[in-house]
Amino acid sequence: MATAVAAPVTPERIFQFAWGYAPPLILEAAIRHRVFDVLDSGPMTVAEVSQATGASERGLAAIMNALVGLEFLSKDGEGNYSLTPESAAFLVSTKPSFQGGLIRHTSEHLVPKWLNLNEVVATGKPVEAVNQQGPGSEFFHKFVNDIFPMSYGPAKALADHLDFNGAEGAVSVLDLAAGSGVWGIALAQSSPRVRVTAVDWNGVIPITRSNAAKFGLSERFSFAEGDLLEADFGSGHDVATLGHILHSEGVERSKKLLKKTCNALASGGTIAIAEFLVNADRRGPVNGLIFAVNMLVNTDTGGTYSFEEIAEWLSEAGFSQVRSLETHGPSPLILATKP
Ligand SMILES: C[S@@+](CC[C@H](N)C(=O)[O-])C[C@H]1O[C@@H](n2cnc3c(N)ncnc32)[C@H](O)[C@@H]1O
């Protein structure tokens, strides 16, 4: 019988991760200098990209070669660079499928907070928390439109799943922590019967309001401003969406928010929660585990949670039939019903 030989331990991964901060910064520089946008018209040399963007040839050569190594660009023998299917689909800023919005915040908003990580680990407290209205409103005002595309597909999939076409009368949707309004907008687009109440801080509601107008939905949107645990949610809603909010609220506030949401729904109403979920044993997925560190540096008590944890909070809050819905977003949605 052959004996398995253990692979030798090497420092290769450590060398690789020593530069772990580089790929998002390189992607951001390429997005900001419109590298993917100009290559969308066809293959180009570094000199041609420089001419089209105004950026230096030395700078572009360095980042474009790194992007070839990272497989976001390809290069032929004549030095012509092209988009890959992935970058053509998701990194061209003029396309509605653009997913580089988050990346655009790397140098200005994300990395500066992460630079405090040593200190934050020592104290367990962020240097400045985005879950507080002042800095939070300012940050989210700039941020929410950039993450619209991340949730638009999942929100449309939720609308298909809920299928309001056969509904009689109005369908009332409560879009909590609405931000760009992506969840309410997709649900409103799915049926003329849908009316949306969007809740967010008063510094962010103007963004929600202007997006609803852009989509021609102003007449079907109303707004409630304020902290989620204080704002008036109204009552008798058929659907409540909580898009990417529990992670910054932390456990205690999330439990209160779910209870308050349950009270605001009609019997038979559905709650839909979008989160970056982690497995119950917190061994993966790595994005969810890293996002918990992002919540450590950015919030007072936030984190990432498992389906099982959120399911338990939903049951405690009075919901039943907790289930997940695959929508091809970062994680499946969690749905539950008010009995
Ligand atoms: C990550 S964004 C998500 C926006 C949108 N739901 C989505 O899925 O794209 C979080 C939103 O919650 C709002 N928010 C965060 N904490 C809040 C609080 N305590 N009270 C009211 N709004 C809050 C922010 O202003 C921001 O618009």
Side-chain angles (χ1 to χ4, degrees):
M1 203 172 81
T3 342
V5 181
V9 177
T10 76
E12 180 54 35
R13 271 164 37 83
I14 294 168
F15 295 150
Q16 203 179 350
F17 287 129
W19 300 107
Y21 54 83
L25 288 166
I26 291 169
L27 281 168
E28 179 184 347
I31 290 167
R32 288 190 182 275
H33 289 290
R34 301 189 306 110
V35 170
F36 302 108
D37 293 1
V38 303
L39 288 177
D40 194 38
S41 59
M44 287 187 190
T45 62
V46 168
E48 287 165 337
V49 175
S50 170
Q51 199 152 42
T53 62
S56 71
E57 285 193 35
R58 180 170 184 243
L60 288 170
I63 63 167
M64 286 167 64
N65 286 329
L67 288 165
V68 172
L70 291 165
E71 298 178 11
F72 287 108
L73 292 179
S74 59
K75 179 167 64 163
D76 69 14
E78 272 80 57
N80 291 300
Y81 294 74
S82 314
L83 299 182
T84 62
E86 182 186 34
S87 55
F90 301 121
L91 291 173
V92 176
S93 74
T94 47
K95 293 184 180 169
S97 54
F98 177 65
Q99 294 289 347
L102 179 61
I103 298 272
R104 239 184 335 223
H105 290 264
T106 307
S107 62
E108 197 185 335
H109 296 123
L110 299 171
V111 165
K113 295 293 185 61
W114 278 74
L115 291 178
N116 300 311
L117 184 58
N118 291 338
E119 185 187 338
V120 175
V121 169
T123 62
K125 289 282 158 229
V127 172
E128 182 183 68
V130 300
N131 60 304
Q132 303 291 346
Q133 167 141 216
S137 282
E138 196 191 317
F139 167 72
F140 284 118
H141 191 91
K142 296 179 185 146
F143 189 64
V144 289
N145 276 344
D146 276 332
I147 57 170
F148 185 104
M150 178 177 81
S151 293
Y152 192 47
K156 285 200 284 195
L158 174 67
D160 287 347
H161 173 78
L162 295 173
D163 188 7
F164 303 125
N165 288 319
E168 282 177 22
V171 175
S172 178
V173 170
L174 180 63
D175 185 356
L176 295 171
S180 66
V182 58
W183 297 90
I185 286 168
L187 292 174
Q189 285 177 317
S190 78
S191 161
R193 296 183 194 284
V194 170
R195 301 280 178 278
V196 180
T197 302
V199 184
D200 209 300
W201 283 317
N202 64 2
V204 179
I205 283 292
I207 304 270
T208 326
R209 195 186 291 278
S210 100
N211 284 350
K214 230 184 283 169
F215 282 89
L217 298 167
S218 294
E219 271 143 47
R220 293 198 274 137
F221 265 69
S222 56
F223 302 91
E225 298 177 349
D227 183 86
L228 288 165
L229 294 187
E230 284 153 28
D232 181 4
F233 288 0
S235 60
H237 301 288
D238 302 292
V239 178
T241 59
L242 285 87
H244 299 287
I245 182 62
L246 298 186
H247 55 240
S248 61
E249 290 292 87
V251 177
E252 292 317 313
R253 279 184 56 99
S254 288
K255 288 181 174 182
K256 287 183 186 151
L257 177 57
L258 296 181
K259 180 108 202 95
K260 182 172 172 183
T261 307
C262 193
N263 290 338
L265 283 170
S267 175
T270 306
I271 184 172
I273 297 173
E275 276 302 325
F276 301 112
L277 298 176
V278 290
N279 297 337
D281 63 9
R282 283 192 164 67
R283 289 192 170 115
V286 75
N287 271 356
L289 301 175
I290 291 177
F291 199 80
V293 185
N294 191 43
M295 289 298 96
L296 171 73
V297 298
N298 277 293
T299 68
D300 292 307
T301 58
T304 48
Y305 310 107
S306 65
F307 173 86
E308 292 78 0
E309 283 167 306
I310 294 174
E312 195 180 317
W313 307 343
L314 283 164
S315 304
E316 277 172 25
F319 288 97
S320 62
Q321 298 171 53
V322 184
R323 55 210 186 266
S324 66
L325 177 71
E326 184 50 71
T327 57
H328 304 291
S331 296
L333 301 184
I334 302 181
L335 306 189
T337 305
K338 177 171 175 172

